[in-house]
Amino acid sequence: MQTGKLSGKIALVTGASSGIGEATALALAAEGATLAIAARRAERLDDLAKRIRETGSAALPIAVDVTDETQATAMVERVQQDYGRLDMLLAVAGVGVAAPFRNTTPEEYRRMVDVNILGLLYPIHAALPSMQRQGAGHIVVVSSGTGRYIHPSVVYSGTKHAVSAMAESLRREIGKDGQAVEQRLGDMEQLESEDIAAAILYAVSQPPRVNVNILTLYPTAQA
Ligand SMILES: NC(=O)c1ccc[n+]([C@@H]2O[C@H](COP(=O)([O-])OP(=O)(O)OC[C@H]3O[C@@H](n4cnc5c(N)ncnc54)[C@H](OP(=O)(O)O)[C@@H]3O)[C@@H](O)[C@H]2O)c1
């Protein structure tokens, strides 16, 4: 049986068939999380599931197109049915077309809008009610530097700004749940010095290719 920081936690990773999603699924499994891994390419998910199981963690591959509301909702329900709950949704699926706008086809920019925006909203909308009932849960989305600052990537940058805005807005909406303003300020659990130290340690211990530019930490209860 796996032991680690995430032992007993159920995590669903979208975009797990390659890149950041795949690496994230492996990293969570290495800390003992139980994984559900989702994307369209089923054979790549099966291969990843095998590698995760070799680490001692469970892995449930789910072939899904996250731009399809019915499929995205069924994905979340499947995890809840098979594992009994969902503690973490890591909505990593995304696409970027590296071409000037004038050379980007409507089909390509529709796909960026669909995957990068709707492909996040559908799973989050499906996962939120049970997390709110549990009173706990993590939702992680992946924006981009071009979602904070303007770079010449018209549609991709637009969708990633949307991702940043949606994440911040949702954080405020959920943080406010059922709390009076004065109560939020008075009783709010503040960050510990060790929380900041852990983020600093992360920033300074990355390989030279990684420049950790901005890390934002808030008290969870702060809207
Ligand atoms: N790589 C970077 O340096 C970087 C930097 C900033 C932000 N990001 C963001 O990080 C995220 C992951 O990027 P990556 O570099 O890891 O890209 P990647 O290797 O191309 O992975 C993209 C993942 O998204 C999945 N996906 C795409 N369309 C989907 C759909 N309709 N339904 C379900 N899954 C879908 C793909 O799986 P299938 O094709 O199997 O469906 C794949 O697993 C993206 O949101 C990207 O914008 C990446």
Side-chain angles (χ1 to χ4, degrees):
M1 161 139 177
Q2 270 278 10
T3 54
K5 285 185 209 151
L6 301 177
S7 283
K9 298 292 182 191
I10 311 295
L12 165 60
V13 182
T14 75
S17 64
S18 68
I20 296 170
E22 179 180 359
T24 301
L26 286 166
L28 296 176
E31 286 297 342
T34 295
L35 267 298
I37 46 177
R40 291 165 305 175
R41 287 172 291 173
E43 61 299 339
R44 289 185 66 99
L45 294 178
D46 288 340
D47 175 69
L48 176 62
K50 219 160 80 189
R51 283 183 283 145
I52 289 173
R53 288 176 195 132
E54 281 164 10
T55 73
S57 287
L60 171 69
I62 304 176
V64 63
D65 182 341
V66 291
T67 67
D68 181 303
E69 184 192 349
T70 306
Q71 289 186 38
T73 304
M75 165 185 75
V76 172
E77 288 170 356
R78 171 90 195 276
V79 178
Q80 290 163 335
Q81 270 159 22
D82 278 38
Y83 288 141
R85 58 186 282 131
L86 175 61
D87 298 300
M88 282 170 254
L89 167 64
L90 302 104
V92 183
V95 288
V97 175
F101 184 54
R102 65 179 180 281
N103 296 340
T104 308
T105 67
E107 168 54 29
E108 286 171 331
Y109 59 70
R110 261 196 300 274
R111 194 155 55 87
M112 282 187 270
V113 170
D114 284 352
V115 180
N116 297 353
I117 299 180
L118 295 178
L120 259 57
L121 290 177
Y122 295 146
I124 292 172
H125 199 245
L128 257 183
S130 71
M131 288 184 176
Q132 291 186 294
R133 272 196 306 276
Q134 286 164 199
H138 291 282
I139 294 174
V140 176
V141 297
V142 181
S143 178
S144 165
T146 195
R148 291 271 178 213
Y149 310 106
I150 301 295
H151 295 290
S153 55
V154 174
V155 184
Y156 183 65
S157 180
T159 62
K160 290 301 183 179
H161 270 77
V163 171
S164 303
M166 288 172 346
E168 177 60 16
S169 183
L170 187 61
R171 188 187 70 77
R172 290 178 192 223
E173 181 181 312
I174 292 171
K176 268 204 266 205
D177 260 6
Q179 299 175 28
V181 173
E182 62 276 15
Q183 192 190 347
R184 284 209 318 279
L185 294 177
D187 302 343
M188 189 193 300
E189 186 181 5
Q190 300 293 336
L191 294 178
E192 305 280 341
S193 304
E194 288 74 17
D195 302 329
I196 313 297
I200 293 170
L201 181 65
Y202 167 80
V204 299
S205 58
Q206 298 308 300
R209 66 177 179 278
V210 180
N211 180 339
V212 179
N213 190 355
I214 299 175
L215 275 174
T216 308
L217 281 78
Y218 283 105
T220 303
Q222 183 175 338

